[in-house]
Amino acid sequence: MKSVHQINAQQYQGKAQQYLNSQVHATGEEFTKILKEVKPTDHVLDLGCGGGHVSYNIASYVQNVIAYDLSNDMLEIVRHTVQEKQLKNIKTQQGVAEQLPFQSASFDVVISRYSAHHWQDIHQAVQEIKRVLKPNGVFILIDTMSSNTPIFNTFLQTIEFIRDPSHVKNYSLPEWSDIAEQAQLEIRNFQMQNLYLNFATWIERMAPPQSSIETLQFLQKNACDQVKKYFKLTDQGDFSLRVGYLKIVNNDNEINSL
């Protein structure tokens, strides 16, 4: 039997170059927001680093970065790119989100971008993030967000899973609020962004079988008008997703002082 972690690693095998070159992953308004949160003395964990774009963008603004991912293929492309860019303060580490191989209170900032919807146990992963964060440390989360409206949520989870079987779940803001609260973390800032996805390149990045592509096209074509409007579906299959930017704080010092 395959675990979710094994499926995840298998899905991204041989796809690292596509994610390195992906404009969706290389650009975004969130990078400007992230740079406002980090300091030159910060030790940062780039959790679920993928092609390494967060690490490359912040390396010159922090003391050091650990680029951490389940996929060795992704980490290999990060190591190669780090050498090309001569970014000497980025190191790589392989592992899963639910079991971080770092000492407690190791990081000033943990950043996760477009990774959390792959985590097998979201509560365990966030507990681990809390553990490795220093008191008053910051967890910056950027991820596609689901809706509380069932028909929108069902459509999103379905197309995500058909394209990529390593997909676990997109969470809504109320769900993230509950997850953070259970881990004794506090959401200090939330902003919503829109992410435009070209259907052809979205498919090309993951390279699903033809049967999956045809199923996705069928679902898009036969979606109700509410769904088409919400996701801004075009006749070509292009669409938009809502992305949440969350600043989450480990407020242990405040709790202990009460």
Side-chain angles (χ1 to χ4, degrees):
M1 295 179 64
K2 290 183 179 179
S3 70
V4 175
H5 291 143
Q6 289 171 323
I7 292 173
N8 198 324
Q10 179 181 310
Q11 281 297 111
Y12 286 89
Q13 188 172 358
K15 299 180 176 73
Q17 191 66 49
Q18 291 95 311
Y19 277 80
L20 177 67
N21 296 335
S22 166
Q23 286 302 300
V24 168
H25 293 81
T27 61
E29 60 186 275
E30 61 270 20
F31 289 119
T32 300
K33 299 173 185 177
I34 290 170
L35 291 180
K36 293 178 181 178
E37 299 292 345
V38 297
K39 303 185 296 296
T41 56
D42 282 348
H43 301 278
V44 180
L45 175 63
D46 181 4
L47 177 54
C49 65
H53 297 292
V54 168
S55 295
Y56 313 143
N57 273 271
I58 68 171
S60 300
Y61 299 88
V62 301
Q63 185 166 337
N64 57 58
V65 185
I66 302 294
Y68 184 86
D69 203 274
L70 171 63
S71 168
N72 278 316
D73 280 25
M74 290 292 186
L75 294 177
E76 183 58 36
I77 204 76
V78 171
R79 286 189 285 267
H80 177 75
T81 307
V82 163
Q83 289 181 345
E84 282 190 339
K85 294 178 177 290
Q86 298 183 331
L87 299 170
K88 297 181 180 180
N89 63 337
I90 298 176
K91 305 296 181 184
T92 60
Q93 174 75 45
Q94 192 272 340
V96 300
E98 296 84 1
Q99 191 174 357
L100 300 177
F102 308 109
Q103 293 184 350
S104 298
S106 297
F107 297 99
D108 301 283
V109 181
V110 174
I111 304 171
S112 180
R113 180 173 180 259
Y114 299 140
S115 174
H117 58 273
H118 291 289
W119 298 346
Q120 183 172 359
D121 187 332
I122 191 72
H123 294 283
Q124 177 62 28
V126 175
Q127 287 285 357
E128 277 290 272
I129 291 168
K130 177 184 172 61
R131 181 185 64 80
V132 302
L133 271 176
K134 296 178 181 179
N136 294 318
V138 174
F139 171 33
I140 298 173
L141 172 76
I142 302 103
D143 205 9
T144 45
M145 305 287 285
S146 69
S147 169
N148 285 328
T149 303
I151 193 169
F152 301 151
N153 179 54
T154 298
F155 184 83
L156 175 60
Q157 309 294 352
T158 301
I159 64 170
E160 287 268 48
F161 184 77
I162 290 172
R163 171 182 174 264
D164 178 6
S166 72
H167 174 76
V168 176
K169 184 180 179 181
N170 292 109
Y171 300 91
S172 65
L173 178 58
E175 287 175 314
W176 273 116
S177 296
D178 289 342
I179 292 165
E181 184 177 3
Q182 288 185 41
Q184 294 187 309
L185 296 169
E186 180 185 349
I187 297 176
R188 294 279 182 87
N189 185 20
F190 170 76
Q191 299 175 42
M192 192 71 83
Q193 306 171 182
N194 289 313
L195 177 67
Y196 169 80
L197 292 170
N198 174 271
F199 184 80
T201 56
W202 181 65
I203 288 297
E204 183 181 0
R205 264 195 308 278
M206 189 50 62
Q210 184 61 31
S211 59
S212 296
I213 298 173
E214 291 172 359
T215 300
L216 289 165
Q217 292 170 329
F218 174 85
L219 290 172
Q220 289 187 331
K221 181 180 178 181
N222 291 280
C224 68
D225 289 343
Q226 283 176 290
V227 167
K228 289 181 178 180
K229 182 178 180 181
Y230 182 85
F231 290 100
K232 300 179 182 177
L233 274 168
T234 71
D235 292 340
Q236 293 73 38
D238 304 342
F239 60 100
S240 291
L241 296 181
R242 298 187 179 190
V243 172
Y245 176 96
L246 288 81
K247 176 182 177 180
I248 305 173
V249 177
N250 181 22
N251 55 7
D252 268 353
N253 278 354
E254 296 175 21
I255 292 172
N256 293 335
S257 66
L258 295 179

